[in-house]
Amino acid sequence: MASLQEVARRAKVSIATVSRVLNRSDKVVPETRAAVEQALRELDYRPSRVARRLRMNSGRAHLVGLIIPDIQNPFYAEIARGVEDAAYAAEYALLLCNSDESIDKERFYLGVMRDESVDGIVLPPFDETDAAVAEFAKTGIPIVCVDRSLAQEKTDLVEVDNYRGAREAMAHLIAKGHKQIGLIEGRSHVSTSRERRRGYLDALAGHGLPVRKELMRAGDFKQESGRVLANELLDLRKPPTALFVCNNLMTVGALAALHQRDLRVPRDVAVVGFDDLPWAEALDPPPTVVRQPAYDVGRQAMELLLKRITEPGRPPVTVRLLPELVVRRST
Amino acid sequence: MASLQEVARRAKVSIATVSRVLNRSDKVVPETRAAVEQALRELDYRPSRVARRLRMNSGRAHLVGLIIPDIQNPFYAEIARGVEDAAYAAEYALLLCNSDESIDKERFYLGVMRDESVDGIVLPPFDETDAAVAEFAKTGIPIVCVDRSLAQEKTDLVEVDNYRGAREAMAHLIAKGHKQIGLIEGRSHVSTSRERRRGYLDALAGHGLPVRKELMRAGDFKQESGRVLANELLDLRKPPTALFVCNNLMTVGALAALHQRDLRVPRDVAVVGFDDLPWAEALDPPPTVVRQPAYDVGRQAMELLLKRITEPGRPPVTVRLLPELVVRRST
DNA sequence: TTGTACGCGTTATCAC
DNA sequence: GTGATAACGCGTACAA
């Protein structure tokens, strides 16, 4: 709780000198430096990050924000962990918020970020046209998008090659002989959904398979919608023999629906999910998934943010990481 | 980015008046109030949380810290979610940190909390004698412990009745006919470990079963130690017929070990874990666990913290929630 | 009822 | 080399 003032008094110097000892390697004669350092130790002085933040223009708060839909979703937890580790390594603290896939909550938290004068934020935008984020971008506070991209604003971005992941998933299903493949995607204005759908459609076309519109359903990334939509698909007169489900929670929901109908996976219906699941090996059956390198997404996003903070003029960069098809026993 | 200064200029009043309009319902004549409010709107004024924090003694930062071992552990993710929801409801922001069960990382982050002048923190202490937390408590910044308690300091605390949970788990196992029950606990200086071990021992004694020291192993709460210790137990000349594993990650590790040895659960070895697992129903086999109400732990902790912030003199409170034995198919 | 002025703890720019 | 001192944005005694 000791302030510069008190340290200065104890060391019988001015606060300017103390500050110099702390920050700049300005000219300070060894004796006074020693005296100051002793006072610093004796009082267990620690600079107030708050006062520092108030004084500085920006970029030195050593604080960044992370806004994600839900920390309980392992995909975002993994991203968060990547961000946090990179932040810790650079001695940055992290303001974490859960937006619940709600644009209003996201807007509220963006306000908090602004009011806290964070050095920058990391987030997956609500969708491609996210007005709250676009508006926030105008403040000049650095933004790094993860997972999902923005249509208008060009910001730093770390994403995964969703198109490729979808193509691989579909190629795998098709190689297994499936011709009627159901798609359960997320909200359709989200860039990841768009890309995965494109992969789905191109894969069908590439293998000379017809597109059946009724086999394509859009949910909201949550478990319940996976369950509901899987049931809808299975109620079709000509139901799909395989499901391509576009995120982890919806995959769990879809599997639950299959389970409840006593359908055997993969014999009756095969399933490929997007996003890996924790302890996938312990699941019944272990699901085949397109694994995203979520930890790296988070880590690299934070590193990009740090770069932008120190070098604001740098043109925005897009990092695209590769997903990986992990074949297990649901296909 | 507009400051009080600018709003005042625009409304042709002093900053004091603007501040009054914003904060206190002080006497401000309707006309000037209207003028100020218009200026506020026109400039899209938002108070700087940083400046406010610097000015105020404490308790009004609307910022709290949460330090947990690992956000990727679903138990802590659930607590975090509970804390965050309660914080959001009160318009508090959350500084989140992962301590990785490392006392040094915890100490580092406690420093950050102090430097950030948070209104309070929520955390499960490293162990009962956690010196870093004890030291932090001296700053007077409110602390609410969750999950684990402190031996010396008396702080607000939200915990689960671990003893009772352990007794129920053991009673269940014993009722199934098991007499050789292995215990895989966490670090032994942690309050939860102590209580669960006590439950294990008392259950044995209560049913007239002998204690075999070699059946009791202490790990570090992480998955790998669950695997290693399960293997050690199974390598015993007289191996246990059932395992009581004291947290979620170690349970997963233990199940993996059993799997790898091609042992059937529960036929060859039965398993009860502490902490529920996400998608437990989809696991093979769905594990019997002692479920902790983690979300409520987090929510109530945050609510306790808010109470303490507004009423610092209040004597510390302990809230003890009940766990629940969820019988599934690993026993 | 409203305005002036101070202080919160820093950093940085001047003088000396 | 070192020391005053002016910001940063806000809340609040105190004066008007």
Side-chain angles (χ1 to χ4, degrees):
Chain A
M1 308 286 264
S3 72
L4 267 195
Q5 199 59 253
E6 307 175 49
V7 176
R9 200 156 32 226
R10 189 177 190 93
K12 297 186 198 305
V13 295
S14 71
I15 61 169
T17 303
V18 181
S19 179
R20 263 189 289 263
V21 170
L22 285 168
N23 303 305
R24 291 178 282 162
S25 52
D26 245 6
K27 292 109 204 314
V28 176
V29 93
E31 304 167 8
T32 55
R33 171 180 295 271
V36 168
E37 279 170 348
Q38 184 179 349
L40 250 17
R41 268 195 310 277
E42 287 174 356
L43 292 173
D44 185 27
Y45 171 81
R46 315 201 68 200
S48 157
R49 295 170 62 112
V50 179
R52 180 174 287 175
R53 217 146 67 254
L54 182 61
R55 182 57 176 71
M56 308 295 244
N57 304 327
S58 84
R60 317 250 246 117
H62 272 227
L63 176 68
V64 297
L66 173 63
I67 304 177
I68 51 176
D70 182 12
I71 193 63
Q72 288 198 74
N73 180 327
F75 175 64
Y76 293 115
E78 196 178 333
I79 288 182
R81 205 45 226 265
V83 170
E84 214 257 1
D85 284 354
Y88 177 74
E91 300 196 291
Y92 273 63
L94 195 63
L95 217 46
L96 177 92
C97 310
N98 293 116
S99 65
D100 278 325
E101 300 280 4
S102 147
I103 188 78
D104 290 328
K105 244 183 136 179
E106 180 179 280
R107 172 171 278 115
F108 170 81
Y109 280 128
L110 284 168
V112 172
M113 297 300 167
R114 184 180 137 183
D115 306 341
E116 280 288 348
S117 309
V118 299
D119 290 331
I121 63 173
V122 173
L123 88 173
F126 178 74
D127 62 22
E128 292 185 298
T129 63
D130 192 323
V133 172
E135 196 180 330
F136 185 90
K138 294 204 186 84
T139 64
I141 298 176
I143 299 177
V144 176
C145 292
V146 285
D147 185 39
R148 308 169 180 174
S149 64
L150 246 26
Q152 304 292 333
E153 307 292 323
K154 39 182 176 299
T155 68
D156 287 309
L157 165 66
V158 182
E159 64 175 1
V160 169
D161 193 334
N162 289 287
Y163 176 75
R164 180 169 174 157
R167 286 295 303 247
E168 287 184 18
M170 290 296 291
H172 173 68
L173 248 19
I174 291 169
K176 290 271 183 179
H178 294 282
K179 294 186 186 342
Q180 306 294 335
I181 304 176
L183 172 73
I184 297 179
E185 63 171 341
R187 279 184 286 111
S188 54
H189 288 291
V190 177
S191 63
T192 54
S193 288
R194 185 169 42 67
E195 290 300 300
R196 292 169 198 177
R197 185 192 328 129
R198 197 162 66 81
Y200 169 86
L201 292 170
D202 284 6
L204 252 26
H207 291 81
L209 260 23
V211 173
R212 284 174 55 200
K213 279 266 179 166
E214 75 270 26
L215 252 28
M216 300 171 64
R217 307 276 161 154
D220 63 1
F221 297 119
K222 299 180 185 176
Q223 183 166 345
E224 179 60 11
S225 80
R227 201 184 58 73
V228 170
L229 296 178
N231 274 321
E232 285 184 19
L233 288 170
L234 296 168
D235 283 337
L236 253 29
R237 240 161 316 166
K238 201 175 169 192
T241 63
L243 258 29
F244 174 37
V245 192
C246 286
N247 91 329
N248 52 6
L249 264 33
M250 294 195 298
T251 301
V252 172
L255 286 171
L258 298 180
H259 229 73
Q260 206 167 9
R261 286 171 168 248
D262 275 326
L263 291 171
R264 309 288 282 177
V265 178
R267 192 190 302 177
D268 301 327
V269 181
V271 175
V272 178
F274 225 98
D275 305 330
D276 204 357
L277 295 165
W279 319 309
E281 293 295 349
L283 291 176
D284 179 28
T288 294
V289 299
V290 178
R291 204 189 90 74
Q292 299 198 62
Y295 183 85
D296 277 336
V297 168
R299 195 176 47 76
Q300 297 209 32
M302 185 64 208
E303 283 166 4
L304 237 44
L305 187 52
L306 290 171
K307 269 191 204 152
R308 172 153 308 282
I309 287 168
T310 54
E311 195 189 341
R314 209 168 48 83
V317 165
T318 290
V319 174
R320 178 171 294 131
L321 302 178
L322 287 184
E324 172 196 8
L325 180 70
V326 181
V327 178
R328 288 192 278 242
R329 296 209 294 280
S330 67
T331 52
Chain B
M1 309 285 264
S3 71
L4 266 195
Q5 198 59 254
E6 307 173 50
V7 175
R9 201 158 30 227
R10 191 176 188 94
K12 296 187 199 309
V13 295
S14 72
I15 60 169
T17 303
V18 180
S19 180
R20 265 189 286 262
V21 170
L22 286 168
N23 303 306
R24 289 180 287 161
S25 52
D26 239 348
K27 292 107 203 316
V28 177
V29 96
E31 302 167 9
T32 54
R33 172 180 293 272
V36 168
E37 279 171 347
Q38 183 177 350
L40 249 18
R41 269 195 309 279
E42 288 174 356
L43 291 174
D44 185 27
Y45 171 82
R46 316 200 68 199
S48 157
R49 295 170 63 111
V50 179
R52 181 173 287 176
R53 233 177 17 272
L54 184 60
R55 179 62 176 69
M56 308 297 241
N57 304 327
S58 83
R60 318 251 247 114
H62 274 227
L63 177 68
V64 297
L66 173 63
I67 304 179
I68 51 176
D70 181 12
I71 192 64
Q72 286 197 78
N73 180 326
F75 175 65
Y76 294 115
E78 198 179 332
I79 288 182
R81 206 42 227 265
V83 171
E84 214 258 1
D85 284 354
Y88 176 75
E91 300 197 291
Y92 273 64
L94 195 64
L95 218 44
L96 178 92
C97 309
N98 293 114
S99 64
D100 278 325
E101 300 281 3
S102 148
I103 188 78
D104 290 327
K105 245 184 134 178
E106 180 179 280
R107 174 171 275 115
F108 170 82
Y109 279 127
L110 283 169
V112 172
M113 296 301 167
R114 183 179 139 184
D115 305 342
E116 280 288 347
S117 309
V118 298
D119 291 330
I121 63 173
V122 172
L123 88 173
F126 178 73
D127 62 24
E128 292 186 296
T129 63
D130 191 323
V133 172
E135 195 181 331
F136 185 90
K138 295 204 186 84
T139 63
I141 299 176
I143 299 178
V144 176
C145 292
V146 285
D147 185 39
R148 306 170 182 175
S149 64
L150 246 26
Q152 304 293 334
E153 307 291 323
K154 39 183 175 300
T155 68
D156 287 309
L157 165 67
V158 182
E159 65 176 2
V160 170
D161 192 334
N162 289 286
Y163 176 75
R164 180 170 176 155
R167 286 295 303 246
E168 288 185 18
M170 290 296 290
H172 173 68
L173 249 19
I174 292 169
K176 289 271 181 181
H178 295 281
K179 297 189 186 333
Q180 308 293 334
I181 304 176
L183 172 74
I184 298 180
E185 63 171 341
R187 279 183 286 111
S188 54
H189 289 291
V190 176
S191 63
T192 54
S193 288
R194 186 170 41 68
E195 289 301 299
R196 292 169 197 177
R197 186 191 328 128
R198 197 162 65 81
Y200 169 86
L201 292 170
D202 284 5
L204 252 27
H207 291 82
L209 260 24
V211 173
R212 285 176 54 203
K213 278 266 179 168
E214 74 269 27
L215 287 185
M216 299 171 64
R217 308 274 161 155
D220 63 0
F221 297 118
K222 299 181 185 176
Q223 182 166 347
E224 179 61 10
S225 80
R227 201 184 58 72
V228 170
L229 297 178
N231 275 322
E232 286 183 20
L233 288 172
L234 296 168
D235 283 337
L236 252 30
R237 240 162 314 164
K238 200 175 167 192
T241 62
L243 257 31
F244 175 38
V245 192
C246 285
N247 90 330
N248 52 6
L249 264 33
M250 294 194 299
T251 302
V252 172
L255 285 171
L258 298 180
H259 228 75
Q260 206 168 7
R261 286 169 168 251
D262 274 326
L263 291 172
R264 309 287 281 177
V265 177
R267 192 189 305 178
D268 302 327
V269 182
V271 175
V272 179
F274 225 98
D275 306 330
D276 204 358
L277 295 164
W279 318 310
E281 292 296 348
L283 290 175
D284 180 27
T288 293
V289 300
V290 178
R291 204 189 90 75
Q292 299 198 62
Y295 182 86
D296 277 336
V297 169
R299 194 175 49 75
Q300 297 208 32
M302 185 63 209
E303 282 165 5
L304 238 43
L305 187 52
L306 290 171
K307 268 192 206 151
R308 172 152 308 282
I309 289 168
T310 54
E311 195 189 340
R314 211 167 47 83
V317 165
T318 291
V319 174
R320 178 170 294 130
L321 302 177
L322 286 183
E324 172 196 8
L325 180 69
V326 181
V327 178
R328 287 192 279 242
R329 297 209 292 281
S330 67
T331 52

Coordinates of all heavy atoms in Angstrom, one line a residue, chain B residues 14 16-17 20 27-29 32 55, chain C residues 1-9:
Chain B
S14 N -20.2 23.4 -14.3 CA -18.9 22.9 -13.8 C -18.8 21.4 -13.7 O -19.9 20.7 -13.7 CB -18.6 23.4 -12.4 OG -19.5 22.8 -11.5
A16 N -18.3 19.6 -11.3 CA -18.9 19.2 -10.0 C -20.4 18.9 -10.3 O -20.9 17.8 -9.9 CB -18.8 20.2 -9.0
T17 N -21.0 19.7 -11.0 CA -22.4 19.6 -11.3 C -22.7 18.3 -12.2 O -23.6 17.5 -11.9 CB -23.0 20.8 -12.1 OG1 -22.7 21.9 -11.3 CG2 -24.5 20.6 -12.3
R20 N -22.4 15.4 -10.0 CA -23.5 15.3 -9.2 C -24.7 14.6 -9.9 O -25.3 13.7 -9.4 CB -24.0 16.6 -8.6 CG -23.4 17.0 -7.3 CD -24.0 18.2 -6.7 NE -23.5 19.4 -7.4 CZ -22.5 20.2 -7.0 NH1 -21.9 19.9 -5.8 NH2 -22.1 21.2 -7.6
K27 N -29.0 18.0 -4.9 CA -29.9 19.0 -5.4 C -29.3 19.6 -6.7 O -28.3 20.3 -6.7 CB -30.1 20.1 -4.4 CG -30.9 19.7 -3.1 CD -29.9 19.6 -1.9 CE -30.4 18.6 -0.9 NZ -31.8 18.7 -0.5
V28 N -30.0 19.2 -7.7 CA -29.6 19.9 -9.0 C -31.0 20.3 -9.6 O -31.9 19.5 -9.7 CB -29.0 18.9 -10.0 CG1 -28.7 19.5 -11.3 CG2 -27.7 18.4 -9.4
V29 N -31.0 21.6 -10.0 CA -32.3 22.1 -10.5 C -32.6 21.4 -11.9 O -31.7 21.2 -12.7 CB -32.2 23.6 -10.6 CG1 -31.8 24.0 -12.1 CG2 -33.5 24.3 -10.2
T32 N -30.8 22.6 -15.3 CA -29.4 22.3 -15.5 C -29.2 20.7 -15.6 O -28.4 20.3 -16.4 CB -28.6 22.7 -14.3 OG1 -29.1 22.2 -13.1 CG2 -28.5 24.2 -14.2
R55 N -9.5 7.4 -7.4 CA -10.1 8.3 -6.4 C -10.6 7.7 -5.2 O -10.4 8.2 -4.1 CB -11.1 9.1 -7.2 CG -11.8 10.2 -6.4 CD -10.8 11.2 -5.9 NE -11.4 12.3 -5.2 CZ -12.0 12.2 -4.0 NH1 -12.0 11.1 -3.4 NH2 -12.5 13.3 -3.4
Chain C
dT1 P -32.1 23.5 -4.2 OP1 -33.4 22.9 -4.5 OP2 -31.3 22.8 -3.1 O5' -31.1 23.4 -5.4 C5' -31.4 24.3 -6.5 C4' -30.2 25.0 -6.9 O4' -29.4 25.3 -5.7 C3' -29.2 24.2 -7.7 O3' -29.1 24.8 -9.0 C2' -27.8 24.3 -7.0 C1' -28.1 25.4 -6.0 N1 -27.3 25.3 -4.7 C2 -26.2 26.1 -4.6 O2 -25.8 26.8 -5.4 N3 -25.5 25.9 -3.4 C4 -25.9 25.0 -2.3 O4 -25.2 25.0 -1.3 C5 -27.0 24.3 -2.6 C7 -27.5 23.3 -1.5 C6 -27.7 24.4 -3.8
dT2 P -28.3 24.1 -10.2 OP1 -28.8 24.8 -11.4 OP2 -28.4 22.7 -10.0 O5' -26.8 24.6 -9.9 C5' -26.4 25.9 -10.3 C4' -25.0 26.2 -9.8 O4' -24.9 25.8 -8.4 C3' -23.9 25.4 -10.5 O3' -23.3 26.4 -11.4 C2' -23.0 25.0 -9.4 C1' -23.6 25.7 -8.1 N1 -23.4 25.0 -6.9 C2 -22.4 25.4 -6.0 O2 -21.7 26.3 -6.3 N3 -22.4 24.7 -4.8 C4 -23.2 23.6 -4.4 O4 -23.0 23.1 -3.3 C5 -24.2 23.3 -5.4 C7 -25.2 22.2 -5.0 C6 -24.3 23.9 -6.5
dG3 P -22.1 25.8 -12.3 OP1 -22.1 26.6 -13.5 OP2 -22.1 24.3 -12.3 O5' -20.8 26.3 -11.4 C5' -20.7 27.6 -11.0 C4' -19.4 27.8 -10.2 O4' -19.6 27.1 -9.0 C3' -18.2 27.3 -10.8 O3' -17.1 28.2 -10.6 C2' -17.9 26.0 -10.1 C1' -18.5 26.3 -8.7 N9 -18.9 25.2 -7.9 C8 -19.9 24.3 -8.3 N7 -20.1 23.4 -7.4 C5 -19.3 23.7 -6.3 C6 -19.1 23.1 -5.1 O6 -19.6 22.1 -4.6 N1 -18.1 23.8 -4.3 C2 -17.4 24.9 -4.8 N2 -16.5 25.4 -3.9 N3 -17.6 25.5 -5.9 C4 -18.5 24.8 -6.7
dT4 P -15.7 28.1 -11.3 OP1 -15.5 29.2 -12.2 OP2 -15.7 26.7 -11.9 O5' -14.7 28.1 -10.2 C5' -15.1 28.5 -8.9 C4' -14.0 28.2 -7.8 O4' -14.4 27.1 -7.0 C3' -12.6 27.8 -8.4 O3' -11.6 28.3 -7.5 C2' -12.7 26.3 -8.4 C1' -13.5 26.0 -7.1 N1 -14.3 24.8 -7.0 C2 -14.2 24.0 -5.9 O2 -13.6 24.4 -4.9 N3 -15.0 22.9 -5.9 C4 -15.8 22.4 -6.9 O4 -16.4 21.4 -6.8 C5 -15.8 23.2 -8.1 C7 -16.6 22.8 -9.3 C6 -15.0 24.4 -8.1
dA5 P -10.1 28.0 -7.8 OP1 -9.4 29.2 -7.2 OP2 -9.9 27.7 -9.2 O5' -9.9 26.8 -6.9 C5' -10.2 26.8 -5.5 C4' -9.7 25.5 -4.8 O4' -10.6 24.4 -5.1 C3' -8.3 25.1 -5.3 O3' -7.6 24.5 -4.3 C2' -8.7 24.0 -6.4 C1' -9.9 23.4 -5.7 N9 -10.8 22.7 -6.6 C8 -11.0 23.0 -8.0 N7 -11.9 22.3 -8.5 C5 -12.3 21.4 -7.5 C6 -13.3 20.3 -7.5 N6 -14.0 20.0 -8.5 N1 -13.4 19.7 -6.3 C2 -12.7 20.1 -5.2 N3 -11.8 21.1 -5.2 C4 -11.7 21.7 -6.3
dC6 P -6.1 24.2 -4.3 OP1 -5.4 25.2 -3.5 OP2 -5.7 24.1 -5.8 O5' -6.0 22.8 -3.7 C5' -6.8 22.5 -2.5 C4' -7.0 21.0 -2.4 O4' -8.0 20.6 -3.3 C3' -5.8 20.2 -2.7 O3' -5.6 19.3 -1.6 C2' -6.1 19.5 -4.0 C1' -7.7 19.4 -3.9 N1 -8.3 19.3 -5.2 C2 -9.4 18.4 -5.4 O2 -9.7 17.7 -4.4 N3 -10.0 18.3 -6.6 C4 -9.6 19.1 -7.6 N4 -10.3 18.9 -8.8 C5 -8.6 20.0 -7.5 C6 -8.0 20.1 -6.3
dG7 P -4.1 18.7 -1.5 OP1 -3.7 18.9 -0.1 OP2 -3.3 19.1 -2.6 O5' -4.4 17.1 -1.6 C5' -5.6 16.5 -1.0 C4' -5.8 15.2 -1.7 O4' -6.6 15.4 -2.9 C3' -4.6 14.5 -2.1 O3' -4.7 13.1 -1.6 C2' -4.5 14.6 -3.6 C1' -6.0 14.7 -3.9 N9 -6.2 15.4 -5.2 C8 -5.5 16.4 -5.7 N7 -6.0 16.8 -6.9 C5 -7.1 16.0 -7.1 C6 -8.0 16.0 -8.2 O6 -8.0 16.7 -9.2 N1 -9.0 15.0 -8.0 C2 -9.1 14.2 -6.9 N2 -10.1 13.3 -6.9 N3 -8.2 14.2 -5.9 C4 -7.3 15.1 -6.1
dC8 P -3.4 12.2 -1.5 OP1 -3.3 11.9 -0.1 OP2 -2.3 12.8 -2.2 O5' -3.8 10.9 -2.3 C5' -5.1 10.2 -2.0 C4' -5.4 9.4 -3.2 O4' -6.0 10.3 -4.2 C3' -4.2 8.8 -4.0 O3' -3.9 7.5 -3.5 C2' -4.6 8.8 -5.4 C1' -5.8 9.8 -5.5 N1 -5.6 10.9 -6.4 C2 -6.6 11.2 -7.4 O2 -7.5 10.4 -7.5 N3 -6.4 12.2 -8.3 C4 -5.3 13.0 -8.1 N4 -5.2 14.1 -8.9 C5 -4.4 12.8 -7.1 C6 -4.6 11.7 -6.3
dG9 P -2.5 7.2 -2.9 OP1 -2.6 5.9 -2.2 OP2 -1.9 8.4 -2.2 O5' -1.7 6.9 -4.2 C5' -2.0 5.8 -5.0 C4' -1.2 5.8 -6.3 O4' -1.6 7.0 -7.0 C3' 0.3 5.9 -6.1 O3' 0.8 4.9 -7.0 C2' 0.6 7.3 -6.5 C1' -0.4 7.6 -7.5 N9 -0.8 9.0 -7.7 C8 -0.8 10.0 -6.7 N7 -1.2 11.2 -7.2 C5 -1.4 11.0 -8.5 C6 -1.9 11.9 -9.5 O6 -2.1 13.1 -9.4 N1 -2.0 11.2 -10.7 C2 -1.7 9.9 -11.0 N2 -1.9 9.5 -12.2 N3 -1.3 9.1 -10.1 C4 -1.2 9.6 -8.9

